[in-house]
Amino acid sequence: MTDRSLDRRTVLRATGLAAVGGLTGLAGCSGGGSGGGSGDGMETEEPTPTPTESGGDSGGSGSASFDGWFDNVDNYDGVVDETGSDAVTVEVGTEANGGYYGFGPAAVRVSAGTTVTWEWTGQGASHNVVAEDGSFESELVAEEGHTFTHTFESAGTSKYVCVPHETLGMKGVVVVE
Ligand SMILES: [Cu+2]
């Protein structure tokens, strides 16, 4: 008899957990679907970038917006899934952020062990690729066709910037899984 009531309680608890998990899952996979506006450079008429006021997403995972990392990055359009690809290339000097001050794509997801190649477009003056945690750093160059590579061995999220244009929004992320 006691067995039966225990069973019921277990079932109830499991159902509750499943419901919570379902909600979290839904929230996690929103955003990034409606792109298409890559080329409109006319809209950038905001000279004063407001200081990032983060701290909004309490309780959430925060990974969707990378804790505000992309708040001032106008070419962030979700994480481009390149898992399984052997060769992943990111442009340095993509048209974005009021000039050629973007990484293209700004955020990419790769499998562990993948070598990512950054390739300079030659636009927007000198750029570099510098990891926030210091794990990789390229030279500062302007030359078209210049490349820099880094192999991402373990799972995690690497944020990086172009140092001269970080304040303009030249920032990126590599998600490794
Ligand atoms: Cu730059």
Side-chain angles (χ1 to χ4, degrees):
M1 291 182 95
T2 35
D3 281 346
R4 209 177 285 164
S5 63
L6 264 180
D7 275 347
R8 193 179 298 158
R9 221 181 295 159
T10 310
V11 167
L12 282 173
R13 200 184 305 152
T15 312
L17 283 172
V20 170
L23 283 173
T24 312
L26 279 176
C29 52
S30 66
S34 57
S38 56
D40 37 15
M42 305 300 288
E43 284 184 350
T44 33
E45 289 186 322
E46 290 176 21
T48 43
T50 41
T52 327
E53 291 179 294
S54 54
D57 24 283
S58 50
S61 62
S63 62
S65 62
F66 299 98
D67 298 319
W69 182 249
F70 286 122
D71 282 358
N72 66 333
V73 179
D74 74 13
N75 67 319
Y76 171 63
D77 190 22
V79 183
V80 175
D81 189 5
E82 290 284 358
T83 50
S85 299
D86 298 335
V88 176
T89 302
V90 176
E91 275 193 354
V92 180
T94 296
E95 185 170 13
N97 305 306
Y100 290 89
Y101 305 124
F103 293 106
V108 67
R109 178 181 291 109
V110 304
S111 306
T114 303
T115 298
V116 174
T117 300
W118 283 267
E119 182 167 354
W120 273 245
T121 64
Q123 308 280 349
S126 294
H127 304 292
N128 59 7
V129 176
V130 179
E132 199 190 28
D133 65 2
S135 56
F136 53 89
E137 177 172 352
S138 79
E139 295 173 65
L140 180 63
V141 293
E143 169 200 351
E144 179 182 358
H146 182 79
T147 59
F148 170 72
T149 62
H150 181 74
T151 302
F152 292 87
E153 300 290 2
S154 49
T157 299
S158 288
K159 296 174 179 175
Y160 65 92
V161 303
C162 165
V163 172
H165 306 126
E166 176 179 0
T167 54
L168 297 177
M170 192 163 178
K171 303 197 285 187
V173 158
V174 177
V175 179
V176 185
E177 59 175 44

